[in-house]
Each structure stands twice: as C-alpha cells, then as structure tokens.
Amino acid sequence: MELSQRKKKILTTVVENYIATAEPVGSKALAEVIGCSSATIRNEMAELTTMGYLEQPHTSAGRVPSPAGYRLYVNELMERQKLSEAEVEAINDKLAKKEEQLEQLMSEVGQLTSSMTQYPAYALAMKPPAAVKRFDFIYVDANTFIVVALLTDNIVKNKLVHLPFSVHQEQITTLSTLFNANFTGLTEEEITDSLIRSTERAAGDTYGLVAVVASFTLEILAQEKAAPVRVAGASQLLSQPEFRDPDKAHALMNFISDGDRLLSDLPKLTDEETGLRVTIGPENLAEELKDSSVVMASYDAGDGMRGYIGVVGPTRMDYSSVAAKLSYIAAGLSRLFAGTDAPEGLNNKLVLKEPARNESEGRESHEQ
C-alpha cells in the first residue's frame, strides 16, 4: 500500500525524534511539526502501526519505529547528507598522512637495501587498479559545486568546481545519479569516450559538466595507479670497476634516478610468481641496463598491494649474497604489513629475525 505524504512525514519525524531522544514519540510532539490535530496524528500513527512501520512499547506510550519503518526510512525518506568541505579536507588530511608514512617507509627500505648490498636499490609498493566506489556531489551555490570520490581503497579525493555559468541543484543531483550509476567500479581503462558521451546525452549536458567530472575521475585513477619509486645509493655505482667510465656511469645513474623510467623498464614479477627474479645483462629491456644485472624480490604490502625491492649492479655482482639479503628484507616487510612485526621507523620496527634452526639444518642450508 502506497503511503500518503502525511504518513511519510509522520514516519520520518518519529524515526528522527526517536534517534535523537531514545524515547517513544507521542502525537502531541508531532502535532506542531506535522501541522495536524493530535487526533489526526493518532489515527495516522495507528494505521502506520497496523501496517508494521511503527510499534507501541506500552499501551499508554508513544510509538517507536519498527525494523520495517527503519528500512523504509533508509531507502526512501531520509535526507541524504553530504560531506561538508571541512569534513572532506579533514578526511584527506588523515589519509595523506597515511600515504606519507608509506612513502617514508619505502625510502627507508631503499636505504637499508642499498647499505646492506652496497649497490643502488629501489623500493615501491604497487596498488591494484583503483576504481571509484561512490560519488558525492555537494552543491555550494549557482556557480560552485564539490565532487567527492570515495575510491575502492577508501582514499577520498575531491575537487572544487567553479563555473562561469549558473546551474541548478537539480542538475548537480542528476550528475550524481548518473556518475554513481555509470562510473563506479570502473578502472581508468574502462572509462571510455563513448561512456562519457552517452552520459552527456543522458544528462542533457550542453555545458561540459560531465566532461569536467569525468576528467577529474580519470586524473585521480591515474594518480592511484602510479607507484612512487624510492631509489637510494645511486652513487654506489662509482665504487665498481665496471663503471669507472664517467659516461657509462652517468647514463646508468640517470636511468636509476628516473623513477618513472625505472618502473616502466625494470622487470617485474607477475602475480603468479613469488620470491626472486634475476635478469642479467642483455636480458634487461632498457639499453642502459644491458651491461648490468637486476635482482628483485616481492612482498605482500597489505591492502591488496604488492611491493618490490631490488638492486642494480654489475653483472659481476655477488648474486647469492644479494638474493639472500633481498629475500630476507622482503620477508620482513611482509610480516611488517601483516602486523606480525609492529613497526615504528624501519630501524626499530622492521626486525629481521631469522627463524630458529638447529645445527644440522644450518649445515644443510650452507652446503646447498
């Protein structure tokens, strides 16, 4: 049975009053808000009770919402609250600190790896492809609105949009509906020009609003896909006889220091692979690495992220020693992100404890 507007208003007021006070709501408390007599309110409340939306704890008491009443309120009646600009900024500040901590850890990991191996080292943590979980649009005034995007990794991004023309709140509400229907759950690659054009047609958008929000969405997804590379100890190359030629050393140091190139050209472990990968000389894709070797280990960085640490050095490097150290650091990082080692700065928190072994196991490992 379809509820009348008056019944909906009564149910909404009962729910919100009960949420605020935890006390049953009587007809007198509703009369002023609804603008009806107490008798009319009582009749309407009796019908809502019969329909299963309200309950009466005691004969003489007021009404409280039933589970069905709460469900109807949540699905249809409650006002959808939006984040204020201050709330958005507060959330972003908190999340930015978390990102800063991860970046600091990557920097410390690179420094540790370089100091232990005496070769240039790199460290990064790669996230799975991001998507937007939910869009919120905050209408500020006729020329301003805020887009808030909650990503699948629970990072919140926002954009303040200033317009040279006026829009109505209904237009912004329509944008919110369309973007939540069409753009959530999609990776950067899945947001196509045809999707943007069809959304523009559905919105009747002649001002380019859809393009602005779609551009913002693509930008934040690209940012989330990027994996900052932390490089340490590039100057370690100069101590190796193979790199005494200044031009050769300079070219390789420039390559190692360029995080974007390093990330795109270095070999990567696939999802199916575990442990270490060693690429030697000509096996490397980048021309700058043709006379060098790369040893890389992966680790579980938590929250769906995969981390990588590696070193770059001459093909003459001590592969056994480097591999053992990288494997050990990677295992320590996996434990750290799993919470089995509680960190506080890498030097104190990343405790690289070797598992206990008896003497015979130690001899076997050494002999192998």
Side-chain angles (χ1 to χ4, degrees), residues 334-353:
S334 291
R335 292 196 303 271
L336 173 67
F337 283 105
T340 54
D341 277 320
E344 191 164 296
L346 190 60
N347 294 334
N348 295 328
K349 291 194 171 183
L350 180 56
V351 183
L352 300 177
K353 294 181 179 176

Side-chain angles (χ1 to χ4, degrees), residues 110-189:
Q111 292 170 12
L112 172 66
T113 305
S114 179
S115 67
M116 290 185 68
T117 62
Q118 300 301 302
Y119 295 122
Y122 65 91
L124 66 148
M126 298 194 65
K127 302 177 182 178
V132 177
K133 190 156 54 173
R134 190 184 76 240
F135 288 94
D136 283 311
F137 286 67
I138 304 170
Y139 183 83
V140 179
D141 57 43
N143 301 103
T144 313
F145 67 94
I146 302 171
V147 187
V148 182
L150 174 64
L151 304 183
T152 45
D153 55 4
N154 291 322
I155 297 293
V156 178
K157 299 288 185 178
N158 66 279
K159 180 181 181 67
L160 181 64
V161 181
H162 293 290
L163 303 171
F165 48 83
S166 297
V167 294
H168 299 293
Q169 184 160 5
E170 291 74 16
Q171 292 172 275
I172 303 304
T173 301
T174 299
L175 279 182
S176 177
T177 301
L178 289 171
F179 269 85
N180 277 297
N182 299 331
F183 285 77
T184 51
L186 301 183
T187 63
E188 181 189 7
E189 290 73 19

Side-chain angles (χ1 to χ4, degrees), residues 263-274:
L263 181 58
S264 61
D265 289 352
L266 280 175
K268 299 176 183 65
L269 289 166
T270 65
D271 291 339
E272 292 76 23
E273 291 178 304
T274 58

Side-chain angles (χ1 to χ4, degrees), residues 320 354 357-368:
S320 177
E354 236 178 319
R357 299 181 300 178
N358 61 40
E359 275 189 40
S360 62
E361 287 174 327
R363 284 196 298 270
E364 289 173 7
S365 297
H366 183 70
E367 290 165 3
Q368 290 172 0

